[in-house]
Amino acid sequence: MLILSKNTLKMFFITFFLSLFSFASIAKDTVNILGIYPFSGPYADSGELQAKGALVALEEVGYKINGKKIKYITRDSETKASVAARRVQEAIDSEKIDFVVGPWSSGVALAITEVAKKNKVMYYFSGGTEDISGKKCHKYAFMWAANAWTAMDANLKIFKKAHPNAKKIYLFVVDYAFGWTLQKYVENLAGKYGLEVVGVDRHPLGHREYSTFITKAMSKKPDAIYMINFGLDAISAVRQMHNFGFTPKKPVVMSWSSGMEELIQLDPAMRSNLIVGTNYYSSIDTPENKAFVKAYKKKTNGIPPGYAPGAGYGLMKMVLLGMKKSGSTDPKEVIKTLEGMKGKAFFGDFEINPNNHQTIRPFFVLKTKPESEMKNKYDFADIVAVSSTEQPKNMNMCKNIGNF
Amino acid sequence: MTFLIISQILNGLGLGMLYALVGVGLTLILGVLNIPNFAHGVLYALGAYFAYTIASLTGSFYIAILIAPLLVVLVGFLLESKGVRRLYSAHHDYQLLFLFACALIIQEIIIIIWGTVGFSLLPPPNLSGAIDFGIIIYPKYRLALIAFTIFIISMLFLFFTKTNYGAILRAGIENRDMVKVLGININKVFLFTFGLGSYLAGLAGALATPIFGLTPSMGMDILPICFVIVVIAGLGSIPGAVIAGILIGLSQGAATIWYPEATNVVVYLMMGLTIIFRPQGLFGTR
Amino acid sequence: MKKYYTYIALLIFLILGPFLFSHATISEIIVYSIVAVATNIMLGYTGLLSFGQAMFFGTGAYISGLILKAGLPIFIAIPVSTISTFILASIVGYFCVKRTGLYFICLSFAFNQMLYFIAYVWVDVTGGEDGLVAVPRPEFLTNSLSLYIFITLIFLICLFALRRVVSSPLGLVFQLIRENPSRASSIGYNVKFFKMISFVIASTFTGLAGSLYVMIHSMAPIDQIHWLKSGDIIFMTLFGGVGHFLGPILGVIGYIYLSDTLSIIWARWPLLMGLLFALVVLYFRGGIAELIENLIKKYKIFKKGLDDEKSS
C-alpha cells in the first residue's frame, strides 16, 4: 500500500519548488524600511503613536527617495524581546530590510540592536537607555533621543531657573540600570545648580503604589520631588502626590517624560505645578515642527503629538535625511553621511557625534499651566527653556564604535 | 519616624484591604468551584473601566462605585454559565484554560472600547485632599477606602456566618458532593459564587481607580498577587485571604521604609516561606 | 501503520522548514517543539496542568547563555543547563505535587512569577529587564542554517528519548494516573511520586530547549521566563493536540505562524488568539492533530464507500 498516491506526490513537489521562490531575491529597486513598534501588550499606546509619527515623515516624501520607492513595513514588537528579535530577523530575511526604526522599550531595543549588528542593517532608536550610543554601540546603530546626562543637566538647570528658591530635592528612581545612571548624574550635577539631594528611593519598574514613598519623602520636607521614571510609573506617582497634597503646593519634576502622552492621562488638577523634561513637545517653534504638528493632528482629530509620535517622526526623518544627503540607499553610505552631520531639524539644531552615534540636540523642559491659562484643551504646558549641553567625553561608555 | 511608621501602616492597610477584596473573591471561586479564576484580574479591570465610564456620564463617583461592580457580575455570570459550566464534564483544567482565554479576550476588548491610553479618575470632591492630624497628613480618600473595605468585609463575614446561603457556600468549600447530596442546586450555587467573586473583584477595581488610575494591562498585572494571596492564605480560607491580603500590603509598606527596591520581591519571599514551612497556607485546611 | 505517516510528515517538514520560514524562525519552532512535546508528557499523558514551564525554559536559557558568555563550549552549556533545570524542577516539583491538583496549578504559577522576579532583580547575572544579550554562538554554528541543523538533531534525539518514555511502562503509569488516580494508587503506585517524575521529565527537556534557544538570537530575554510565556506553551501544546505524541508540534507551528501573520493585519490580534484558545478549549480539545485524524478517518470512510460501490 503506497503511503502517498502518485498524484499527491506530484502536487507536493510542485508546491515545494514553488515555495522556494518565496525566498528568491527581489530586484532592489525599492528601499526597504522596517518599523518595529509595540502594537499590542504594554506600551501599545506608545507604539500606535510612534507608527503614526513615522507615517507623517513618509507621506512628506511621498514614499520616494533618491528615485526609489520606499517599501515600509511594520511589525508588532509586543514589548517582548524574543518576539521582536524573531520578527525583525524574519523581516530582514524575507523582506530584505536595510533600515530599522523603533521600538518603544529600551529592553527590546537592546535585543534589536544586536540583530541589526549581526545582519548589518542600520538601526535608529530613541529611548531610555544610554547603551545604544554607549556600552553596546556599534557602527550600525544610532540614538535619536538626547543623551541622559544632557537631559538631567537640562532638568536641574532649568528647574532652578523656574524655582530659584528651591534647594532640597528628593529623588524617586526607577530601579534598573537606566534609572541608576540618571540618579548618578543628578547626584553629581545637583550641587552645580545649588541643589541638594536629601533623599533617594528606588522603586521597581511598573510600580503603581507610591503612598509609602511619598510619605517617606514628605517627612524629609524637600522643596521638590525629582522623579527619574516615566510612563505609568510617573503618572501614578504624580496622581498620588496630588492625593497627598504634595502638589500643587510644591513642584514635581518628571525628568524623562513623554510630555503630551503622560500629561493627557492626568486630570487637570493633578497636572498642576509640574516641571516636565522631554525630548519633544508640540509647541517647539520651528516651521518644520509646525508642519509636522499640522499633518499629525489630521490623523488624530486634533490631538497634538507628544514624544512618542515625535520620536516616530524623528527617527524616520533622520533615516530619510541620511539617504537624501548621501544620494544613496545603501546603509553604509547613509551611515557615513550621518556621522558628524550638523543641521537643523524640526526639534532644533543637532549634530551627530561620529564616535558614538549620539545625537547632540536640545532637551526641552516645560512647566505645566493651571487650567485657567490653557488656550485649548491640549495646552498643558509651556517650554521654559532648552539645553543641549553634551555629555562629558569621559562619561560616555562607547569606547570603540567599530567598523562596518 | 513615628510619622513614617503610622503612614506606612495606613498605606499598607489601604493597599492590603484592596488586595483582600480581590483575594477573597478569588478564594471563593477557588473554594466552591475548584477553579483558579485566571480571569479574575480582568474582572478587576472591568470594574475600574465601568466605574470610569459611569462616573464620566453621571458625574458621580458614588453611583459609579454602586453600579460598576454589578455590571462586572453580569460579565461573571456570562463567563460561568456560557463557558465554565459547559466544560463541567471535561477535565476541570479546561475550565481554568477557558477563563485564561477569556482574560486575553477581555483585555483586548477593553482596549477596543476604551483605547490603549490610560485614564485618571478623581475621588469624589468631598473625599479629595488630605487631613492634617498633626503627626501625619493623610489623604481623605485612602482613609475612606480603609473604612469602606472594612465594612464590606464585615458584611461578607455576616453573610457567611449568619445566613443560610452563606452556610451553603461554606459547606460547598468543604465538601461539594455533600452539598449536592443535600438536594441543593449546585449550578445555582456556582453561578452565585462566581457572581459574588466577580462583584468583589469589580468593586476593588472601581475603588482603586482614584489611586492607581486605569490602564488596559491592570488586570494581568494584579493577577499574580491574587494567586500569591491564595497560596499564602491557604485554599478555601476566606479569613485567610483577608489576612494574607493585609499582610502583603503591610509588608510592602514596611519594605518601602527599609528596602524599597524589594517591594515586589518581599511578596514572593513571603510566599516562598509559606510554601516551605506551611505548605497548606496559613489557614488552609487541605 | 499510522505512526509512520506522522514521522514521515515530520521529516518532510524538517527538510522543507528552512525554505518555508526564515532560519531563525524555524529554529525557534523546533526549539519550542521540544518544549511542547515534553510538556505534553505532563499535560496530555499524565493530565497535569502546570503554568510554570517558562521558568524552566528561562533558566535553561540563562544558564546556557552565561556559560557561552564565559567562553565555554556549547557541549558544556547544554548538559550543565539541563542538569541545573533538572535540579530546579525537582525542587519545584516536590513542592507542587505535595498538595491537590488545584494547589499544583497555583503553586506552579506562583513559583514561575517568583523566578521571574529573581531574574528581573538579579541584574548582574541575568541583565534584568534588558536580558542577557550578546551571547556568542559557537564557531561551527555561526551560520544560521547550520544552527538549525544542530537544533534539529538535538530535537530528534529528544523525540527519541521522550518516545521511549511514553512507550515504556512508565508512560502507561502516567496515563493511568490521568485516567484514574485513585485506581493507580490502589494498585500500589505512589501517585505523587510518579506525578513528580512526569513533571521533572517535562521540565528538564524544556530547560534543554531553553539552552538551545539562547543561540538563535544570541540572547536570553526576560519575557521568556514570564508566566504569560507559560500560558503560550500550554496553548501551543493544547492547540497542537494533547492526544498525540507529535501533536503539539502542530500547535507550535500554528501558534508562531498565526501570531506573526495576524500581528501584521490587526493590532488587536491577541483577541483572535484568545478566541482561538477559547474555541479549542470548548470544542476542539484534541487540537489540530485530532482534527486531522478525524478528517483522515472521514476520507477513509468516504473512500471505502466509493470502493464498495465500485465492487458491487
Side-chain angles (χ1 to χ4, degrees):
Chain A
M1 189 160 71
L2 270 181
I3 300 164
L4 295 161
S5 77
K6 275 214 183 99
N7 275 331
T8 325
L9 272 171
K10 230 199 296 194
M11 281 313 302
F12 165 76
F13 278 111
I14 291 173
T15 332
F16 168 58
F17 281 113
L18 281 177
S19 67
L20 287 181
F21 284 97
S22 67
F23 268 82
S25 18
I26 312 152
K28 276 303 214 59
D29 55 351
T30 59
V31 52
N32 306 328
I33 307 179
L34 167 69
I36 177 112
Y37 310 112
F39 289 111
S40 68
Y43 309 131
D45 50 341
S46 304
E48 185 175 52
L49 297 174
Q50 280 179 299
K52 281 209 183 101
L55 284 179
V56 176
L58 289 164
E59 283 159 10
E60 274 177 6
V61 298
Y63 286 83
K64 269 205 176 74
I65 191 94
N66 295 345
K68 284 194 182 166
K69 263 173 83 179
I70 297 176
K71 184 174 93 168
Y72 170 66
I73 61 170
T74 58
R75 293 288 183 265
D76 188 354
S77 76
E78 293 183 48
T79 307
K80 290 183 186 159
S82 60
V83 170
R86 176 177 82 228
R87 292 190 179 145
V88 171
Q89 184 65 57
E90 194 270 332
I92 292 173
D93 289 338
S94 64
E95 308 282 347
K96 309 290 174 226
I97 295 295
D98 284 321
F99 300 90
V100 180
V101 293
W104 177 258
S105 148
S106 53
V108 176
L110 288 169
I112 294 178
T113 195
E114 298 294 324
V115 177
K117 185 172 168 188
K118 179 157 67 175
N119 291 275
K120 302 195 191 301
V121 301
M122 185 170 125
Y123 178 50
Y124 229 117
F125 175 64
S126 179
T129 173
E130 283 203 303
D131 293 350
I132 300 285
S133 54
K135 239 186 341 194
K136 304 256 163 71
C137 66
H138 61 84
K139 198 69 167 171
Y140 290 88
F142 288 77
M143 171 60 113
W144 185 80
N147 173 267
W149 187 95
T150 307
M152 294 302 108
D153 181 63
N155 277 311
L156 291 166
K157 180 164 43 186
I158 298 165
F159 165 74
K160 184 70 178 187
K161 202 164 126 182
H163 297 272
N165 294 323
K167 287 203 188 57
K168 301 195 278 184
I169 57 175
Y170 195 100
L171 305 184
F172 282 359
V173 181
V174 61
D175 191 27
Y176 78 116
F178 187 56
W180 307 335
T181 312
L182 295 191
Q183 178 190 334
K184 195 174 62 175
Y185 291 159
V186 171
E187 285 168 343
N188 287 342
L189 287 165
K192 187 162 136 197
Y193 299 108
L195 296 166
E196 185 199 340
V197 175
V198 294
V200 180
D201 267 327
R202 290 183 177 174
H203 64 81
L205 182 71
H207 201 61
R208 298 284 171 263
E209 170 55 5
Y210 290 88
S211 55
T212 39
F213 294 102
I214 296 169
T215 40
K216 206 171 156 196
M218 281 168 81
S219 70
K220 291 272 167 72
K221 302 207 189 319
D223 297 316
I225 293 182
Y226 184 101
M227 297 209 298
I228 299 173
N229 53 25
F230 34 80
L232 287 168
D233 296 10
I235 294 168
S236 306
V238 166
R239 187 183 284 129
Q240 289 162 27
M241 282 190 237
H242 177 77
N243 287 353
F244 273 86
F246 185 79
T247 57
K249 267 192 290 180
K250 301 233 180 105
V252 170
V253 181
M254 296 169 78
S255 67
W256 186 262
S257 171
S258 302
M260 172 63 61
E261 282 87 53
E262 285 169 13
L263 296 173
I264 205 171
Q265 296 189 46
L266 291 170
D267 178 274
M270 297 172 187
R271 238 183 270 141
S272 48
N273 207 358
L274 301 177
I275 297 281
V276 179
T278 179
N279 275 289
Y280 174 81
Y281 200 66
S282 53
S283 62
I284 294 173
D285 196 9
T286 65
E288 293 86 355
N289 187 47
K290 289 198 163 69
F292 166 56
V293 173
K294 189 158 164 221
Y296 180 80
K297 275 186 175 169
K298 288 210 186 97
K299 289 185 189 298
T300 60
N301 258 338
I303 304 177
Y307 165 67
Y313 178 74
L315 293 174
M316 192 61 81
K317 285 284 277 187
M318 277 315 204
V319 170
L320 293 171
L321 182 67
M323 288 183 201
K324 183 151 157 241
K325 283 261 158 74
S326 67
S328 161
T329 56
D330 179 336
K332 295 190 176 58
E333 295 303 318
V334 174
I335 290 171
K336 280 196 263 192
T337 307
L338 286 171
E339 284 177 335
M341 185 192 270
K342 286 196 175 96
K344 272 180 158 29
F346 68 103
F347 53 88
D349 295 330
F350 75 91
E351 185 188 335
I352 298 180
N353 184 329
N355 297 319
N356 55 21
H357 292 180
Q358 170 68 48
T359 310
I360 301 159
R361 45 155 292 171
F363 188 76
F364 304 89
V365 182
L366 325 163
K367 187 166 151 65
T368 52
K369 43 171 77 164
E371 213 170 347
S372 50
E373 289 176 31
M374 284 167 61
K375 280 179 250 151
N376 59 64
K377 75 171 163 171
Y378 298 114
D379 183 26
F380 299 139
D382 286 327
I383 300 176
V384 176
V386 311
S387 167
S388 321
T389 320
E390 191 185 354
Q391 179 190 39
K393 263 193 203 57
N394 60 328
M395 286 192 174
N396 184 259
M397 298 299 288
C398 177
K399 300 302 174 200
N400 182 5
I401 194 105
N403 297 310
F404 288 119
Chain B
M1 200 54 182
T2 349
F3 159 71
L4 210 54
I5 295 183
I6 297 179
S7 328
Q8 302 306 31
I9 293 178
L10 286 173
N11 288 333
L13 205 58
L15 186 62
M17 295 306 284
L18 275 178
Y19 286 158
L21 278 182
V22 260
V24 170
L26 186 64
T27 301
L28 268 174
I29 297 175
L30 197 58
V32 175
L33 285 94
N34 255 339
I35 314 168
N37 180 14
F38 271 80
H40 210 69
V42 289
L43 293 172
Y44 167 85
L46 279 176
Y49 274 92
F50 285 145
Y52 172 80
T53 301
I54 296 173
S56 312
L57 289 174
T58 64
S60 164
F61 182 79
Y62 295 108
I63 296 181
I65 297 291
L66 196 62
I67 311 239
L70 296 174
L71 294 176
V72 179
V73 171
L74 291 177
V75 176
F77 280 165
L78 208 71
L79 290 178
E80 203 278 333
S81 58
K82 294 284 170 252
V84 177
R85 196 179 303 182
R86 287 235 183 107
L87 291 163
Y88 205 56
S89 50
H91 198 286
H92 79 58
D93 285 342
Y94 288 103
Q95 297 171 307
L96 183 177
L97 290 174
F98 173 75
L99 288 169
F100 177 64
C102 288
L104 299 173
I105 296 171
I106 293 177
Q107 184 163 287
E108 290 302 310
I109 292 180
I110 288 179
I111 296 180
I112 292 174
I113 299 177
W114 284 280
T116 50
V117 181
F119 304 126
S120 285
L121 186 63
L122 279 178
N126 59 336
L127 287 180
S128 291
I131 304 183
D132 192 338
F133 288 105
I135 19 164
I136 59 161
I137 300 176
Y138 207 71
K140 280 190 210 162
Y141 183 76
R142 285 183 189 248
L143 292 171
L145 180 67
I146 295 174
F148 186 63
T149 41
I150 292 179
F151 168 71
I152 296 279
I153 304 246
S154 317
M155 290 291 105
L156 267 180
F157 269 110
L158 284 177
F159 168 75
F160 281 120
T161 50
K162 302 279 185 236
T163 67
N164 279 342
Y165 216 78
I168 294 175
L169 284 193
R170 276 187 296 136
I173 294 176
E174 295 235 8
N175 194 333
R176 185 197 317 192
D177 295 321
M178 224 20 179
V179 172
K180 274 198 239 180
V181 163
L182 290 172
I184 295 168
N185 183 344
I186 201 75
N187 280 342
K188 282 222 182 86
V189 175
F190 285 172
L191 190 67
F192 177 81
T193 311
F194 205 91
L196 182 57
S198 308
Y199 179 83
L200 293 170
L203 180 64
L207 289 172
T209 46
I211 301 176
F212 295 127
L214 299 98
T215 166
S217 58
M218 65 191 285
M220 286 310 197
D221 289 343
I222 201 164
L223 197 63
I225 299 249
C226 296
F227 279 94
V228 170
I229 293 177
V230 163
V231 168
I232 293 180
L235 282 184
S237 166
I238 291 161
V242 177
I243 295 183
I246 296 177
L247 214 63
I248 293 177
L250 286 173
S251 34
Q252 288 191 312
T256 314
I257 303 181
W258 290 292
Y259 195 18
E261 298 88 320
T263 15
N264 280 333
V265 180
V266 76
V267 171
Y268 292 99
L269 206 68
M270 284 174 54
M271 187 197 81
L273 292 171
T274 312
I275 293 174
I276 298 176
F277 294 112
R278 208 180 150 79
Q280 69 270 40
L282 295 177
F283 299 87
T285 44
R286 42 171 167 129
Chain C
M1 216 48 225
K2 186 186 71 173
K3 265 196 240 166
Y4 293 111
Y5 285 93
T6 47
Y7 285 99
I8 291 183
L10 175 66
L11 254 101
I12 293 176
F13 175 73
L14 291 174
I15 297 173
L16 287 187
F19 303 102
L20 298 168
F21 300 93
S22 89
H23 295 165
T25 306
I26 187 68
S27 298
E28 197 167 319
I29 289 177
I30 301 301
V31 163
Y32 276 107
S33 296
I34 302 178
V35 176
V37 173
T39 302
N40 198 27
I41 305 291
M42 212 174 36
L43 183 62
Y45 285 90
T46 321
L48 279 178
L49 176 62
S50 156
F51 248 85
Q53 289 306 81
M55 71 178 128
F56 305 112
F57 188 76
T59 304
Y62 282 127
I63 295 182
S64 173
L66 288 166
I67 295 176
L68 287 171
K69 276 191 105 151
L72 294 168
I74 188 72
F75 296 106
I76 294 190
I78 297 178
V80 171
S81 33
T82 307
I83 294 173
S84 314
T85 320
F86 171 77
I87 296 172
L88 177 68
S90 306
I91 299 172
V92 173
Y94 171 73
F95 286 109
C96 283
V97 300
K98 261 182 159 186
R99 318 294 305 171
T100 66
L102 216 50
Y103 219 21
F104 177 81
I105 298 167
C106 295
L107 275 180
S108 63
F109 175 88
F111 263 116
N112 195 151
Q113 207 47 4
M114 183 170 11
L115 264 117
Y116 172 81
F117 269 110
I118 293 176
Y120 197 91
V121 164
W122 206 1
V123 179
D124 294 333
V125 165
T126 63
E129 205 204 39
D130 298 339
L132 197 65
V133 291
V135 174
R137 260 196 222 170
E139 269 172 50
F140 69 105
L141 295 177
T142 8
N143 179 307
S144 51
L145 188 60
S146 45
L147 179 66
Y148 167 70
I149 295 174
F150 180 75
I151 289 178
T152 305
L153 288 172
I154 308 249
F155 165 64
L156 290 171
I157 297 174
C158 290
L159 271 190
F160 179 71
L162 288 169
R163 183 78 221 171
R164 292 301 302 260
V165 166
V166 151
S167 317
S168 72
L170 183 61
L172 288 172
V173 177
F174 288 157
Q175 294 182 74
L176 178 61
I177 291 176
R178 179 193 72 221
E179 292 303 317
N180 201 333
S182 38
R183 184 153 186 243
S185 86
S186 63
I187 297 180
Y189 286 111
N190 181 343
V191 171
K192 288 207 170 107
F193 176 69
F194 281 97
K195 277 187 178 173
M196 190 168 138
I197 295 190
S198 173
F199 181 88
V200 171
I201 293 176
S203 309
T204 306
F205 276 89
T206 301
L208 196 160
S211 71
L212 295 171
Y213 174 81
V214 73
M215 289 192 284
I216 301 178
H217 297 291
S218 305
M219 66 174 187
I222 190 85
D223 67 89
Q224 29 92 64
I225 202 170
H226 191 270
W227 73 267
L228 280 173
K229 180 64 90 185
S230 296
D232 290 345
I233 292 173
I234 297 294
F235 178 41
M236 288 188 235
T237 312
L238 194 67
F239 185 41
V242 292
H244 296 73
F245 178 67
L246 293 179
I249 299 175
L250 295 167
V252 176
I253 301 170
Y255 177 83
I256 291 184
Y257 176 74
L258 280 173
S259 72
D260 282 353
T261 312
L262 292 175
S263 62
I264 298 177
I265 302 172
W266 193 26
R268 304 277 70 82
W269 63 275
L271 178 81
L272 299 172
M273 296 303 271
L275 276 170
L276 181 62
F277 199 166
L279 282 171
V280 169
V281 169
L282 283 170
Y283 304 117
F284 298 106
R285 259 160 270 145
I288 302 175
E290 192 180 84
L291 229 79
I292 294 180
E293 194 182 62
N294 286 341
L295 283 171
I296 293 179
K297 271 200 198 126
K298 287 207 175 113
Y299 173 72
K300 281 202 179 132
I301 295 173
F302 174 70
K303 197 151 176 278
K304 186 158 193 297
L306 286 180
D307 288 341
D308 285 345
E309 263 185 45
K310 271 201 212 139
S311 57
S312 63

